[in-house]
Amino acid sequence: MRRIISATQSAAHVITDGKAQALGDASYDRLSDGDTDIALEREERAGLRRVSGLSTQLDDITEVEYRELQLENVVLIGVYSRGSLQDAENSMRELAALAETAGAKVLDGLLQRRPHPDPATYLGRGKTEDLRELVAKLKADTVIADSELAPSQRRALEDAVKVKVIDRTAVILDIFAQHAKSRESKAQVELAQLEYLLPRLRGWGQSMSRQVGGQVGATGVGMGSRGPGETKIELDRRRINAKMAKLRREIAQMKHSRETKRAMRTRCKVPAVAIAGYTNAGKSSLLNRLTSAGALVQNELFATLDTAVRQATTTDGRIFTYIDTVGFVRSLPHQLVEAFRSTFEEIAAADLILHVVDGSHPDPAAQLKVVREVIAEVNASEIIEIVVFNKADLISDNQRLVLQGLASDAVFVSAKTGAGVADLLARIDEFLPKPEHDITAIVPYDRGDLVNQMHEHNRVISFDYVTAGTLMHAQVSDEMLARLQQYLVS
């Protein structure tokens, strides 16, 4: 077993200067004087953080809603069988960042190499005893595993180490629950949480059961028909299934609303550029730089979950939209992928994907791979992709050469300083759909609606005012060509 937080092996550190390495450079968290709305939103979110607590409350986990909020002191554990040690350590660094984002304090981390996790206790009997001693020494109150635990593994670990044990999936779901703001994202997160909880319900003894006899007719008990009644855990399962069905209906109705808005943009021939990427890669910062959207930016994972749509204009006057989507992460819980599928479909409906990668991250290749896997899941692999390496101001020349090896035609930008943004805008202009027909038309003055549509949804090269109307040289779509047919000049 390998200690991840070590004073002697700096390459294996999970925590640097009190922060998880995966969270990136702290300078990106600073705000300017004009970012008042973002500062207020951060303050509101910080007000919900857990306050310091002293002990674990594992002894009473039946009434979760009545627990006191507390800043949990956690120990991380991980098992890896394939891949390099560096990959496993990067995954643990990311888990540390997830734990900090959820409001915990990471005390230490243990990493073990073995052919496969122990089916009983995840770590094995001997290593579990080592973990128990470490937890007691550090006075930790929570253990977080770097992969999803089976309910039996979690229960066995809790019995052994005497503190609460959760897995990576539970931490991600907790972060999503904290950061969800819109009605749709809250419903999606709740659905994912219930799907995760359903196979992990625990019974709490005979007193929680509804035991009944086999009453038959007026004479009482019938032979062979006596048996246990419906237990409390069965009632809980039925309630959860009913709630999940209700949430799925609500999310389906919200999806119709989004599809209606998307259909309106499609009908008006407004191209869409989806901003996708790994969590904390700087997607919202880049959106703010490109459009002055004022979206929340914060140096933590999954800071924003809600889809944001902002209008923009190309240098030649074409209108299009930017769509900022939820970030991805390795081992993204399948419950979240299913719950947020309607949100991910915004990527599939786009004309162009800006794939934002944190260029200063220790493992950008893994970020590229994870995001492309999710893009493939929503059938968006055929859409044109522009790889954008963000945080270029933190990248050395040697790092730049390595990144160019990952994506030779990538664009290097800095959402913080604005470097490279002009090159990115030029690349977007190049790949956005262009009107197909080059025409010259004289539009009568009483058809100002057509002139307006040509300016908004097509490309007007030049125009002039003549006696018969507005003389226009433009590039237009098939639909616009049909409307202008009678006004065309040969």
Side-chain angles (χ1 to χ4, degrees):
M1 179 172 289
R2 181 181 179 88
R3 292 285 292 275
I4 298 302
I5 300 178
S6 168
T8 60
Q9 299 182 10
S10 59
H13 281 187
V14 171
I15 305 299
T16 302
D17 298 330
K19 297 290 288 182
Q21 280 189 353
L23 285 178
D25 192 274
S27 64
Y28 272 77
D29 221 15
R30 300 191 187 104
L31 297 176
S32 63
D33 295 337
D35 296 325
T36 307
D37 293 339
I38 297 177
L40 290 174
E41 192 167 352
R42 284 188 186 181
E43 184 178 346
E44 179 184 359
R45 178 173 290 182
L48 299 175
R49 281 302 171 100
R50 296 176 173 86
V51 297
S52 297
L54 298 177
S55 63
T56 180
Q57 296 180 357
L58 184 65
D59 294 337
D60 180 18
I61 61 175
T62 59
E63 303 293 344
V64 178
E65 63 271 24
Y66 294 117
R67 286 191 197 167
E68 293 180 2
L69 293 176
Q70 63 178 23
L71 180 66
E72 298 182 54
N73 297 315
V74 304
V75 172
L76 311 180
I77 58 174
V79 171
Y80 73 104
S81 57
R82 293 176 296 179
S84 65
L85 175 61
Q86 184 179 2
D87 291 339
E89 289 175 352
N90 284 336
S91 181
M92 290 289 281
R93 290 188 185 97
E94 188 172 271
L95 181 62
L98 288 167
E100 286 190 4
T101 301
K105 179 181 179 181
V106 179
L107 302 179
D108 209 337
L110 299 175
L111 186 60
Q112 181 187 20
R113 184 180 183 93
R114 55 182 298 153
H116 53 78
D118 183 72
T121 60
Y122 185 67
L123 293 177
R125 183 178 301 177
K127 302 306 181 185
T128 300
E129 181 62 24
D130 294 342
L131 175 63
R132 187 191 67 79
E133 293 175 0
L134 179 63
V135 167
K137 176 182 177 182
L138 298 177
K139 298 183 180 180
D141 44 47
T142 303
V143 172
I144 304 178
D146 193 31
S147 54
E148 189 166 317
L149 296 175
S152 59
Q153 290 174 320
R154 183 175 65 84
R155 195 174 305 120
L157 271 176
E158 284 184 346
D159 292 341
V161 301
K162 307 303 180 184
V163 298
K164 182 174 66 175
V165 177
I166 59 177
D167 55 24
R168 184 186 185 97
T169 299
V171 176
I172 294 175
L173 290 173
D174 185 79
I175 295 171
F176 271 61
Q178 291 182 48
H179 293 180
K181 290 178 58 180
S182 69
R183 179 168 168 260
E184 182 176 16
S185 63
K186 288 179 179 179
Q188 290 168 327
V189 172
E190 184 177 0
L191 175 60
Q193 287 177 314
L194 292 175
E195 288 180 342
Y196 177 77
L197 174 65
L198 187 58
R200 292 169 174 80
L201 290 176
R202 296 175 62 173
W204 289 94
Q206 196 75 6
S207 63
M208 301 298 288
S209 301
R210 292 162 55 93
Q211 301 292 336
V212 296
Q215 302 294 328
V216 178
T219 58
V221 177
M223 186 173 60
S225 61
R226 184 185 300 277
E230 191 170 34
T231 61
K232 177 67 164 57
I233 195 169
E234 289 168 343
L235 285 172
D236 290 341
R237 286 196 185 103
R238 183 143 46 87
R239 291 193 184 102
I240 289 175
N241 281 318
K243 181 64 173 178
M244 287 167 58
K246 180 182 178 183
L247 288 170
R248 288 193 180 101
R249 289 194 298 269
E250 292 178 356
I251 292 172
Q253 293 172 355
M254 298 174 196
K255 180 181 177 181
H256 292 323
S257 174
R258 187 188 298 107
E259 287 178 343
T260 300
K261 296 177 182 177
R262 189 189 305 150
M264 185 178 300
R265 295 196 299 267
T266 303
R267 187 168 58 251
C268 296
K269 303 296 181 183
V270 178
V273 177
I275 304 177
Y278 214 77
T279 182
N280 208 43
K283 298 183 299 299
S284 297
S285 298
L286 184 60
L287 178 68
N288 289 345
R289 171 65 65 174
L290 294 172
T291 65
S292 301
L296 173 67
V297 292
Q298 193 161 1
N299 187 29
E300 61 182 27
L301 308 187
F302 300 112
T304 53
L305 302 180
D306 300 313
T307 302
V309 181
R310 296 293 185 271
Q311 182 174 294
T313 307
T314 62
T315 53
D316 57 9
R318 287 171 290 153
I319 294 176
F320 67 99
T321 58
Y322 288 110
I323 303 174
D324 184 19
T325 60
V326 64
F328 307 138
V329 73
R330 72 177 78 194
S331 304
L332 186 67
H334 67 88
Q335 297 94 342
L336 283 173
V337 174
E338 290 302 318
F340 279 77
R341 183 165 294 277
S342 57
T343 303
F344 293 150
E345 286 173 356
E346 291 287 352
I347 299 175
D351 298 282
L352 180 65
I353 297 175
L354 294 187
H355 183 167
V356 183
V357 183
D358 181 356
S360 64
H361 192 272
D363 192 7
Q367 289 197 1
L368 278 165
K369 180 182 177 183
V370 167
V371 175
R372 283 173 174 167
E373 286 175 352
V374 179
I375 289 175
E377 281 189 40
V378 295
N379 301 318
S381 299
E382 301 301 321
I383 299 175
I384 299 173
E385 174 194 66
I386 300 176
V387 177
V388 182
F389 286 115
N390 191 25
K391 306 182 184 180
D393 53 313
L394 303 178
I395 302 173
S396 67
D397 292 338
N398 290 336
Q399 286 177 302
R400 185 179 289 261
L401 289 175
V402 173
L403 294 174
Q404 286 177 336
L406 298 176
S408 57
D409 57 347
V411 181
F412 289 82
V413 305
S414 171
K416 179 183 178 183
T417 65
V421 171
D423 294 337
L424 176 60
L425 290 173
R427 188 74 68 86
I428 293 172
D429 287 359
E430 177 185 350
F431 286 109
L432 276 179
K434 295 179 175 62
E436 301 173 358
H437 305 283
D438 190 289
I439 60 99
T440 301
I442 298 178
V443 183
Y445 288 119
D446 60 352
R447 292 306 308 270
D449 58 320
L450 293 179
V451 175
N452 185 58
Q453 290 176 24
M454 291 176 70
H455 278 289
E456 286 190 354
H457 307 305
N458 299 269
R459 183 188 178 196
V460 176
I461 299 174
S462 65
F463 65 94
D464 194 9
Y465 300 107
V466 298
T467 303
T470 306
L471 175 63
M472 307 192 73
H473 179 205
Q475 292 177 339
V476 299
S477 62
D478 291 336
E479 182 181 359
M480 199 69 215
L481 178 64
R483 294 183 180 182
L484 293 170
Q485 197 66 43
Q486 59 182 314
Y487 307 122
L488 296 179
V489 177
S490 56

